[in-house]
Amino acid sequence: MVIALGSNDKGVWPSCIDVLEATVARFRADGIDVLALSSWWRSAAWPDPSDPPFVNGVAVVTTAHDPHALMATLGRIEEAFGRERGRINAPRTLDLDLIAYGRLSGDLEGLILPHPRAAERLFVMGPLAEIAPEWVHPTAAKTAKVLAESCKVGTDARPVN
């Protein structure tokens, strides 16, 4: 399973990176084991680059949660970290997206897998290619490395260090 993490509002934390690292530290308590974690990447906010820049990363995980339970867990974690849902794409302390759940694809009772726009976003495919370059997208049938090289959204995304 692949989860994308992002933040562009540090909230009560010293930085957005601190938000993301605290999130990863909490995953295990919520039944999510991290197998691999990318470095943190910075990019302009999308679609409104006048919003604060984002820090993003990707985790390859394992869990006993089914896809819907995993999404519910991710939502609870977002709320615990101060995520408020207002206007679409507004700055947020934490954004967790389920990018892929194994090879599942299609509309699973309102949950669309793989994430319908992840393959075109460098701030997702770049970090994923860093830790799992040969991961194959369930529907695009291309590797994370190939997808990262052809992304059209977030093309300014770069590792922080």
Side-chain angles (χ1 to χ4, degrees):
M1 284 140 281
V2 178
I3 297 173
L5 304 92
S7 175
N8 72 335
D9 176 356
K10 66 183 180 75
V12 300
W13 284 267
S15 72
C16 290
I17 289 174
D18 291 309
V19 172
L20 298 175
E21 289 180 353
T23 301
V24 172
R26 178 186 167 140
F27 275 177
R28 187 167 189 76
D30 285 284
I32 302 167
D33 291 318
V34 176
L35 303 176
L37 179 65
S38 73
S39 61
W40 302 120
W41 288 50
R42 186 173 315 278
S43 63
W46 185 90
D48 186 354
S50 69
D51 281 338
F54 260 92
V55 177
N56 292 289
V58 169
V60 174
V61 305
T62 186
T63 184
H65 297 307
D66 66 46
H68 289 284
L70 180 55
M71 280 301 297
T73 298
L74 296 178
R76 284 191 302 277
I77 294 170
E78 286 178 337
E79 288 175 16
F81 279 77
R83 169 80 185 257
E84 295 180 11
R85 297 195 182 269
R87 75 175 165 89
I88 294 174
N89 296 317
R92 46 209 176 270
T93 52
L94 185 59
D95 186 22
L96 298 174
D97 288 323
L98 180 56
I99 302 304
Y101 191 100
R103 305 298 305 156
L104 289 178
S105 66
D107 187 336
L108 308 173
E109 300 173 11
L111 173 58
I112 300 172
L113 289 172
H115 186 287
R117 294 168 301 285
E120 61 199 39
R121 296 175 172 177
L122 184 57
F123 51 84
V124 174
M125 288 297 122
L128 182 56
E130 180 183 279
I131 58 172
E134 299 307 313
W135 175 85
V136 177
H137 190 281
T139 57
K142 295 179 182 175
T143 65
K145 183 177 187 249
V146 168
L147 289 170
E149 292 167 353
S150 63
C151 286
K152 303 289 188 231
V153 175
T155 57
D156 66 319
R158 298 290 180 270
V160 171
N161 291 336

